[in-house]
Amino acid sequence: MIRARVIGAGACLPSNIVTNDELAKTVDTSDEWIQGRTGIKQRHIALPGEKTSDLALGAARAALTDAGIDAGELDMIICATTTPDESFPAVATIVQSRLGMHQGAAFDVQAVCSGFVYGLSVADSLIRTGAARTILLIGAETMSRLLDWNDRTTCVLFGDGAGAVVLQAHTGVGTNADQGILNTRLFSDGRLHDMLYTDGGVSSTQSIGKLKMQGKEVFKHAVTNLSAAIQASADASNIPLSEIDWFVPHQANQRILDGTAKKLGIDPARVVSTVALHGNTSAASVPLALVTAVQDGRIKRGDLVLLEAMGGGFTWGAALLRW
Ligand code: ACO
């Protein structure tokens, strides 16, 4: 049985760090409020001229180096993003060109904060059906460009960044002992549009719009939906939650991470959290957290890792893999 195995991972963050205290100089907020309500201490914000494709390229190069392969060996690039450089073409094709890759295919996936998990599901399917052998999957965002900096209820929550993994076909025996992706589970409910959206877009206003959110409602749905996605993915492989070594959630808010862990009886020590340092980086948040836990030695080869995310749409999902 063919499995999609992660053979390399990398990240890229803008050098510009903005702390809560710095933000409080221009926004009516405080470090105490932001940390108490969200756990966020700082976020990276792209400098003027720094684009999503720049961050995506940085993460892509780091992941390829970690995998020990050249862009010439890739069959495909998938980039999960909600904040492309241009309405078209896809960020993935810009990265393809800048990597000097002239073969294969490149395209973007748009599922907002769930984008990386959605992209992982697409990549896994393409690898398992034999349509591709080696895929570079990136989550990259410049959410700072979509924010209304006069709206303190949203602008303090987000940050910019990118993370990437290289996935490669590997022959397993078809049991949970296999290395690679064991299952992915995707969900969405378009009726919940009004809770999280941008008030503009190409075909409606011919502008990008700004992010709008009903924070309290998003919070409630996040804990419910993420818990359900985690359970669905664990059940799909018949693995009890207690046997999963690491949970790598979308980093929206520490209280969402804690609430979800509590609801499912998961030990918070097994939940990777980078929200304090990165804020919510949308599709980049899961790979950024994953890379952090791999590089600091927490996630080791053979560990069972569950990735989970929820975002605008609403979209949500989870993926279980053996690292
Ligand atoms: N600084 C200071 N005060 C603020 C700020 C701020 N940045 N933002 C809001 N306030 C004030 C409000 O005006 C309000 O004041 P009032 O009581 O005088 O009216 C008070 O703080 C409480 O506001 P609430 O909205 O009730 O605060 P809440 O406890 O719900 O926290 C938050 C808000 C942090 C946004 C929370 O609802 C949340 O985390 N929701 C989830 C949203 C999220 O994570 N979205 C990310 C995208 S979706 C996803 O990724 C899963």
Side-chain angles (χ1 to χ4, degrees), residues 187 222-233 260 263-264 316 318:
F187 309 92
V223 173
T224 306
N225 292 343
L226 288 169
S227 303
I230 292 168
Q231 197 66 62
S233 183
T260 308
K263 193 173 160 92
L264 294 173
W316 66 101

Side-chain angles (χ1 to χ4, degrees), residues 29 33 37 113 152 196 213 215-216 218 250 252-253 280 310:
T29 189
W33 192 96
R37 288 295 212 288
C113 300
R152 67 177 182 169
L196 186 56
M213 182 177 74
K216 272 196 200 311
V218 173
H250 167 50
N253 182 320
N280 181 347
M310 187 189 108

